[in-house]
Amino acid sequence: MLCEAVCGIVVETEGDQMLSVRGDSDDPFSRGHICPKAAALRDLAEDPDRVREPLRRQGDRFVPVSWDSALDEAAERLAAIQKQHGRDAVGFYLGNPTVHSYTALLTAPLFSKLLGSHSRFSATSVDQLPHMLAALEMFGHQLALPLPDVDRTAFLLILGANPVVSNGSLMTAGGIARRLEELRARGGRLVVVDPRRSETAELADTHLFIRPGGDAYLLLAMLHVIFEEKLDKPGDLTDITDGIGTVRSIAARFSPERVAGRTGIEADTLRALARDFAGAPTAAAYGRIGVCTQEFGGLASWLVVVLNAVTGNLDRAGGSMFSTPAADLVSAANVLGERGHFGVWKSRVRGLKEFGGELPVAVLAEEIETPGEGQIRGLVTHAGNPVLSTPSGNRLSVALAKLDFMVSIDIYQNETTRHANLILPTSCGLERDHYDLAFYALSVRNAARYVPAAISPPPGVREDWQVLLDLGIKLHQAGGGKRSHALYAALLALRSVGPRRTLDVLLRTGPHGKLFGGLSLSSLEKQPHGVDLGPLEPRLRDLLGKRRIALAPELLVADVPRLESALQATANGLTLIGRRALRSNNSWMHNSARLVKGPVGCTLLMHPDDARARGLSNGGRVRVRSRVGEVEVPLVISDEVARGVVSLPHGWGHDRPGAALKVAAAHAGASINDLTDPAVIDALSGNAGLSGVPVEVVAAA
Ligand SMILES: Nc1nc2c(c(=O)[nH]1)N[C@H]1C(S)=C(S)[C@@H](COP(=O)(O)OP(=O)(O)OC[C@H]3O[C@@H](n4cnc5c(=O)[nH]c(N)nc54)[C@H](O)[C@@H]3O)O[C@H]1N2
Ligand SMILES: Nc1nc2c(c(=O)[nH]1)N[C@H]1C(S)=C(S)[C@@H](COP(=O)(O)OP(=O)(O)OC[C@H]3O[C@@H](n4cnc5c(=O)[nH]c(N)nc54)[C@H](O)[C@@H]3O)O[C@H]1N2
Ligand SMILES: [Mo]
């Protein structure tokens, strides 16, 4: 519902009153695990600040309007912009919670197609885009994302992820701390590479402090040692793998001695890590946000997969595997020929490449600001808060205020949606039925669960899919969008049968549909604790079809010189990285009193030596300054961050006028994305470089 770990919960209700939320110990996958966000589901339902009926902005106030007039106005205004200025003049931003709603996942792409605009954006380009690009280039499918087989591996190498807090990402694994403890209890080893001694690093056998952005160098140095010492082990896939020679010759240039300075890790340590990883009976390297939201995100994401492949760990038990989900979007997309694409068109102002039909969100503000044909004048947001979640949010905020028209499908009047002319509210959390369509495809064990809504939604809201489809249908009727009758008919058809039918078809035709007497929506409904579909099984050959594995795709190889030339760059000053906390979920759950109570969440962490050098004291307020902005926050001095590194969580900064979140405003904090720089991207993929921002820190006046 709001987390990739998909933990089973038991909700006790009396009518539409929720009495309690607890972990479901009968869930075979999450085994009773729960975190504070689950309890906060109740706060979402009961939050007096939720938007519970469509709102229309009049000056700086919002007033309630009927659904009919809201949808009509939205469609007419958007259609008028498209008719006058072209279809690209209306942008569309899809936020993260979209992925947590199967009904939105199954309808948003259709709305997007009907809108027919190249100005499409999502949270993908402040998140996992580099991983998807590596998958597209190596396996020919943007969603063919390998997962660490946590439950069976003998050696887990985690780079730039903190699953003990985040609950795991692109790795669905409820109760991950227990799984990591089980790994160690069976004699396995856990190594964490992170510029901060994270909660996950605390559980590890070894934690290596890395200089931000150093992962690609570290991975190449490991490969260097593996080839030099002939530790590479061709696995079962050798006959369908191309490019190993190219990888070998690239790695030859990156000895541990050469990259030690840039990674901040001694050559001997890098050598030992390579030997241990390659020598383990099974091993899995797993990299997440810390390796992809940085300047070399594409390369680092690619090299993680290469390391797994070269050591014979790709697609084998205990290594790095692919799930076989009950509703298999990868296979379905294969059948439809929709595997993803890159660089088919480019952004108007800066010329950045599209990926999978979306432009990097780092260009959103400039595309609104810059006059000319194709300038964005209208915007639709769905479940997104880009003012707090994308680089230079303050600048984006100014840009949003200049739009001719904006409509936000959202549950809150917040930092982003306050700029909308109309806010269209949907149900959320426990108010709707639920199947984790996206996350079972990323699950470290095959599983499935479908649950009905636990409570009724507020009477004035609608379901996300209804709003998306109705807006699309009305847009077409108003003469906007792509003038395709087939698309319009598809929207009408989906509107009348609903996305539940689509889910049922996916389940019935999926890999588990014919087994177990045929999995379907109704068979899942009878098993509300979920069904276990067994451990991961090798399936890459099946996913590839007739294609081969490209271990050294040209696009990635061509980016290596950029990495090599950056080797000389010396670090002076401080480098800013992000952080997540258990009681926080991106930018939108700070209105839960249960989550924000206790110690202040939005603090800057700094190493004692760096604080001393600047005469800063613990608890004092500091001013953090980057090329694009500055914020003021309290300082916490701690050796959990490496020297030269400071860490600030994202998702804060709730003091903007016009947002209507009382609890969040009382715990406002400041937004790290007022410091992150839209000019700093992974030049290969276009993903935002959120981690590794150069900053100065001084005492606040
Ligand atoms: N409680 C909570 N859970 C969440 C979320 C949340 O906001 N709160 N957000 C959800 C979402 S949308 C996502 S995508 C996932 C993300 O899941 P994770 O990727 O596990 O997220 P983080 O906790 O940000 O972990 C990233 C780690 O990378 C480190 N890091 C930063 N820069 C570098 C670098 O250059 N190299 C290396 N090696 N490490 C680096 C950081 O110190 C941090 O420990 O979490 C999800 N789960
Ligand atoms: N500096 C820095 N920036 C980051 C990150 C980082 O680690 N560091 N992490 C990045 C990552 S991984 C992500 S995924 C993005 C997230 O970026 P976004 O998706 O833009 O932002 P969220 O904070 O997830 O905001 C979600 C929005 O959806 C609304 N919402 C919640 N539930 C529902 C629902 O059920 N229906 C509808 N219609 N609306 C709903 C909320 O009110 C809120 O407006 O942030 C990114 N930004
Ligand atoms: Mo994310």
Side-chain angles (χ1 to χ4, degrees):
M1 280 159 207
L2 44 70
C3 177
E4 294 183 52
V6 310
C7 295
I9 53 175
V10 178
V11 183
E12 213 187 327
T13 56
E14 206 178 277
D16 279 327
Q17 276 297 103
M18 251 185 280
L19 303 177
S20 69
V21 178
R22 57 190 165 80
D24 180 5
S25 49
D26 293 327
D27 184 301
F29 187 50
S30 61
R31 301 178 290 185
H33 180 263
I34 195 174
C35 84
K37 283 185 291 175
L41 282 168
R42 186 171 168 182
D43 303 340
L44 279 183
E46 293 165 3
D47 190 340
D49 292 339
R50 270 270 297 280
V51 178
R52 289 186 162 77
E53 55 195 329
L55 296 180
R56 182 172 195 278
R57 188 156 49 79
Q58 268 170 12
D60 46 17
R61 275 180 347 115
F62 277 96
V63 294
V65 282
S66 74
W67 272 100
D68 275 349
S69 72
L71 286 165
D72 285 342
E73 182 182 352
E76 277 155 25
R77 296 286 302 270
L78 295 172
I81 293 173
Q82 286 192 312
K83 282 188 279 189
Q84 194 183 342
H85 302 285
R87 289 207 304 265
D88 297 346
V90 173
F92 183 33
Y93 176 86
L94 274 175
N96 167 278
T98 310
V99 196
H100 293 278
S101 160
Y102 83 88
T103 52
L105 260 187
L106 292 175
T107 45
L110 213 53
F111 171 78
S112 184
K113 274 197 181 127
L114 185 125
L115 185 65
S117 166
H118 288 104
S119 308
R120 273 180 269 159
F121 306 87
S122 80
T124 290
S125 52
V126 278
D127 191 344
Q128 80 288 355
L129 170 48
H131 291 295
M132 293 173 73
L133 180 62
L136 178 65
E137 295 296 315
M138 300 181 81
F139 308 125
H141 198 301
Q142 60 174 356
L143 295 176
L145 298 164
L147 319 156
D149 187 5
V150 182
D151 292 346
R152 288 180 293 183
T153 194
F155 192 117
L156 181 60
L157 171 62
I158 297 183
L159 306 117
N162 186 13
V164 168
V165 164
S166 69
N167 291 331
S169 181
L170 300 188
M171 173 182 76
T172 290
I176 185 70
R178 178 150 103 187
R179 290 174 198 268
L180 296 178
E181 276 156 18
E182 286 166 356
L183 159 75
R184 296 192 59 206
R186 64 177 182 265
R189 228 182 117 189
L190 174 63
V191 176
V192 173
V193 176
D194 198 302
R196 176 180 155 243
R197 192 170 60 247
S198 66
E199 293 76 356
T200 305
E202 293 279 2
L203 282 187
D205 298 275
T206 309
H207 167 224
L208 302 174
F209 280 109
I210 188 170
R211 270 181 55 197
D215 304 85
Y217 301 105
L218 171 138
L219 290 159
L220 280 170
M222 288 179 73
L223 288 163
H224 178 98
V225 175
I226 287 167
F227 287 121
E228 187 179 61
E229 302 186 1
K230 302 198 166 40
L231 303 173
D232 51 314
K233 271 179 288 186
D236 294 342
L237 300 166
T238 312
D239 61 310
I240 52 162
T241 304
D242 297 326
I244 186 127
T246 308
V247 168
R248 183 196 305 266
S249 65
I250 292 171
R253 304 206 296 270
F254 292 87
S255 68
E257 290 69 22
R258 191 171 178 218
V259 305
R262 178 59 186 85
T263 57
I265 302 171
E266 286 180 18
D268 285 348
T269 309
L270 292 170
R271 285 186 178 274
L273 178 62
R275 288 179 195 130
D276 292 350
F277 187 88
T282 56
Y286 160 72
R288 197 49 192 96
I289 280 282
V291 307
C292 61
T293 55
Q294 49 142 296
E295 262 185 285
F296 298 106
L299 287 177
S301 303
W302 164 55
L303 291 166
V304 168
V305 187
V306 172
L307 178 64
N308 287 317
V310 162
T311 51
N313 283 300
L314 187 63
D315 204 35
R316 74 149 162 180
S320 180
M321 306 187 75
F322 299 84
S323 69
T324 312
D328 190 1
L329 291 178
V330 177
S331 300
N334 263 339
V335 172
L336 299 172
E338 293 192 0
R339 301 195 179 92
H341 44 79
F342 182 51
V344 176
W345 69 83
K346 289 183 177 170
S347 72
R348 184 179 59 106
V349 179
R350 217 193 306 179
L352 296 190
K353 292 175 181 168
E354 64 80 36
F355 179 84
E358 290 172 1
L359 292 170
V361 72
V363 309
L364 178 54
E366 71 200 30
E367 291 294 334
I368 299 173
E369 293 161 355
T370 313
E373 206 184 311
Q375 177 183 12
I376 296 178
R377 295 158 187 271
L379 184 69
V380 182
T381 69
H382 178 267
N385 193 2
V387 167
L388 293 192
S389 60
T390 70
S392 203
N394 259 342
R395 174 174 160 194
L396 179 63
S397 198
V398 174
L400 294 181
K402 293 188 184 140
L403 287 167
D404 292 348
F405 186 75
M406 172 171 163
V407 51
S408 290
I409 305 169
D410 208 285
I411 60 171
Y412 283 124
Q413 180 187 327
N414 65 16
E415 300 76 14
T416 295
T417 64
R418 72 193 163 122
H419 294 295
N421 298 78
L422 290 163
I423 303 177
L424 307 178
T426 68
S427 54
C428 72
L430 298 163
E431 300 156 2
R432 59 189 177 209
D433 65 327
H434 193 71
Y435 179 82
D436 278 293
L437 187 57
F439 301 113
Y440 286 126
L442 299 166
S443 174
V444 300
R445 200 176 161 89
N446 296 315
R449 183 187 56 223
Y450 172 83
V451 286
I455 50 167
S456 318
V461 308
R462 291 194 177 168
E463 292 201 49
D464 46 21
W465 64 274
Q466 296 173 328
V467 180
L468 283 162
L469 294 177
D470 286 344
L471 188 58
I473 289 165
K474 293 206 176 210
L475 182 69
H476 179 89
Q477 290 165 351
K482 197 171 181 171
R483 305 309 299 159
S484 154
H485 225 82
L487 262 177
Y488 177 58
L491 262 82
L492 287 174
L494 190 55
R495 183 66 176 86
S496 76
V497 297
R500 271 164 208 95
R501 270 282 282 282
T502 317
L503 176 62
D504 190 37
V505 170
L506 282 168
L507 290 168
R508 285 174 191 274
T509 57
H512 302 276
K514 296 195 181 74
L515 305 172
F516 308 105
L519 215 59
S520 65
L521 200 52
S522 65
S523 73
L524 278 184
E525 269 185 293
K526 293 186 192 108
Q527 304 172 81
H529 300 292
V531 292
D532 180 37
L533 300 169
L536 301 185
E537 285 173 32
R539 75 173 302 224
L540 185 51
R541 276 176 201 276
D542 169 39
L543 286 175
L544 285 166
K546 288 198 182 74
R547 275 162 290 136
R548 297 171 61 83
I549 302 170
L551 215 52
E554 267 173 49
L555 189 81
L556 288 141
V557 171
D559 199 35
V560 174
R562 185 172 67 95
L563 182 78
E564 205 160 1
S565 53
L567 198 46
Q568 317 311 333
T570 46
N572 28 42
L574 296 167
T575 306
L576 177 67
I577 63 169
R579 175 166 101 239
R580 283 177 160 75
L582 210 49
R583 292 167 168 278
S584 182
N585 194 30
N586 295 332
S587 75
W588 65 278
M589 289 188 78
H590 296 143
N591 214 45
S592 158
R594 192 191 309 258
L595 292 186
V596 291
K597 72 172 184 226
V600 173
C602 185
T603 58
L604 186 79
L605 296 181
M606 183 187 279
H607 190 276
D609 293 352
D610 292 323
R612 210 171 299 123
R614 287 166 181 76
L616 301 173
S617 50
N618 198 38
R621 287 189 75 79
V622 291
R623 208 157 248 286
V624 190
R625 211 175 280 141
S626 75
R627 187 187 78 89
V628 299
E630 59 179 55
V631 301
E632 214 181 281
V633 286
L635 180 72
V636 171
I637 298 176
S638 161
D639 67 0
E640 76 185 53
V641 284
R643 273 185 206 87
V645 172
V646 285
S647 158
L648 190 65
H650 78 284
W652 298 88
H654 303 294
D655 50 0
R656 276 125 165 117
L661 300 167
K662 286 183 222 63
V663 179
H667 301 262
S671 176
I672 187 176
N673 286 321
D674 290 340
L675 299 170
T676 55
D677 186 343
V680 178
I681 52 167
D682 169 22
L684 172 67
S685 67
N687 200 80
L690 302 170
S691 191
V693 180
V695 290
E696 281 169 30
V697 180
V698 295

